[in-house]
């Protein structure tokens, strides 16, 4: 059948059957810059396998050997000092020297301290000091009498920390018909393969930050294990929303430059390496940028540990900062800073179960292909206090 058209012809008159429009025969995938930098850094540092999905490590640390008084001793010669309950009181053995950090008074312990009652000789080489409730005391050595016997032995044990390998699985599938159909964007199977790997690594990255250690059905033949992540494992936490006064702030979420300096010295670099890596959200990155402009000289460190970092030189130590891409995506993480001492962090995977692609997982008779990425892994913190977590840092 002939269809007659009068007048001028233009491109808008033709449909897709006659006018095949031009397409860039590729697709572009928008993703955060470097979606799994924690995994990248852990990969650079090496990993360790485990032959059991539950793995444990021993932690030990030298005690501070500090005590706190529980009641005032108004007289300058009272020999009985009351302490608040604490395990470190046991280090105040007969012959130990104890100093009051408020007054500088030196005391000499005359009997082993086992509970909250400490017996001492007061004002060694000094005069007229008193003890207030809440005074901080510390042990400063030992003074033995000539010819005396050996002092009471005091020891301290390690603690055992455990975590689990979690099974991560990410599958993708296409029908056999789709596998053999030409698409403008290329092979759908290859496209899904790339996307699935990125999602798989993102899942592991998020679990290592936000996961909580747990085991469901431990006594059954098919338990489910959850690996504990950094945020739910660390004890060295500063919440600027509620603790703003301790970091120089005047309102919730406010930490000053001086307050941050004090935190670096007193907490963040108190233990561990003199160079640590900080993953930050965009608000914290902006806060650091303002501080850097005022005093610090930021230095770009290209390709360090496989991830681009920025070094902030401080008196306490070097902070290597990376704006974590996923902190932009996850609610509440814009104002977060997670500081990691990488020598004390290990990627653990079950023997033979590190990240791998398992192909052709479809059931017999199905006219499709199913592939999956599978990883059974977890995170191990060999120490806890060397890492720090700051949250709620909104302004400087």
């Amino acid at each position: 059948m002939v269809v007659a058209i009068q007048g001028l012809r233009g491109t808008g008159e033709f449909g897709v059957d006659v006018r095949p429009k031009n397409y860039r025969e590729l697709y572009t995938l928008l993703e955060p810059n470097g979606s799994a930098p924690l995994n990248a850094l852990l990969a650079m540092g090496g990993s360790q396998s485990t032959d059991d999905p539950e793995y444990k490590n021993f932690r030990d640390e030298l005690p501070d050997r500090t005590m706190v008084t529980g009641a005032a001793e108004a007289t300058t010669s009272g020999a009985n000092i009351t302490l608040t309950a604490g395990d470190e009181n046991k280090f105040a053995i007969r012959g130990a020297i104890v100093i009051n950090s408020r007054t500088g008074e030196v005391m000499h312990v005359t009997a082993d301290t086992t509970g909250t009652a400490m017996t001492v000789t007061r004002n060694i080489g000094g005069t007229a000091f008193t003890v207030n409730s809440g005074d901080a005391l510390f042990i400063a050595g030992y003074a033995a009498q000539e010819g005396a016997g050996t002092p009471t032995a005091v020891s301290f044990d390690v603690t055992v920390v455990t975590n689990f390998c979690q099974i991560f699985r990410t599958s993708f599938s296409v029908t056999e018909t789709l596998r053999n159909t030409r698409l403008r964007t290329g092979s759908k199977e290859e496209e899904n393969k790339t996307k699935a790997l990125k999602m798989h690594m993102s899942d592991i990255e998020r679990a290592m930050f936000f996961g909580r250690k747990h085991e469901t059905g431990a006594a059954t033949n098919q338990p489910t294990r959850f690996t504990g992540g950094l945020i739910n494992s660390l004890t060295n936490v500063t919440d600027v929303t509620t603790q703003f006064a301790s970091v120089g702030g005047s309102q919730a979420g406010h930490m000053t430059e001086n307050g941050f300096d004090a935190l670096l010295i007193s907490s963040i670099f108190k233990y561990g390496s003199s160079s640590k890596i900080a993953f930050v959200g965009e608000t914290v990155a902006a806060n650091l940028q303002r501080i850097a402009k005022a005093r610090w000289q930021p230095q770009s460190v290209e390709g360090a540990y496989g991830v681009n970092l920025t070094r902030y030189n401080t008196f306490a130590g070097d902070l290597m900062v990376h704006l974590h891409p996923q902190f932009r995506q996850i609610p509440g993480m814009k104002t977060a800073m997670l500081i990691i001492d990488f020598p004390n962090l290990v990627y653990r995977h079950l023997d033979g179960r590190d990240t791998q692609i398992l192909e052709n997982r479809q059931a017999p008779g199905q006219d499709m292909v199913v592939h999956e990425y599978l990883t059974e892994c977890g995170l191990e913190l060999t120490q806890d206090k060397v890492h720090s977590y700051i949250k709620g840092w909104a302004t400087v």
Side-chain angles (χ1 to χ4, degrees), residues 327-345:
F327 286 8
R328 291 170 168 169
Q329 299 175 310
I330 297 171
M333 293 304 292
K334 291 182 178 181
T335 56
M337 169 185 273
L338 197 62
I339 300 164
I340 300 174
D341 189 9
F342 269 87
N344 289 284
L345 194 67

Side-chain angles (χ1 to χ4, degrees), residues 161-173:
V161 183
T162 183
N163 204 355
F164 297 110
C165 283
Q166 180 175 322
I167 301 174
F168 298 87
R169 302 179 68 175
T170 308
S171 65
F172 59 99
S173 65

Side-chain angles (χ1 to χ4, degrees), residues 180-217:
N180 292 279
T181 300
R182 179 187 177 277
L183 301 176
R184 292 185 183 276
T185 54
S187 168
K188 185 58 68 174
E189 183 179 6
E190 290 301 315
E191 175 187 331
N192 288 347
K193 182 178 181 180
T194 300
K195 292 178 178 178
L197 178 59
K198 291 181 179 293
M199 293 294 291
H200 187 75
M201 300 311 297
S202 176
D203 286 347
I204 296 174
E205 183 91 352
R206 292 188 179 191
M208 288 184 174
F209 278 114
F210 305 102
R212 190 178 293 276
K213 183 186 70 176
H214 184 65
E215 186 176 27
T216 301

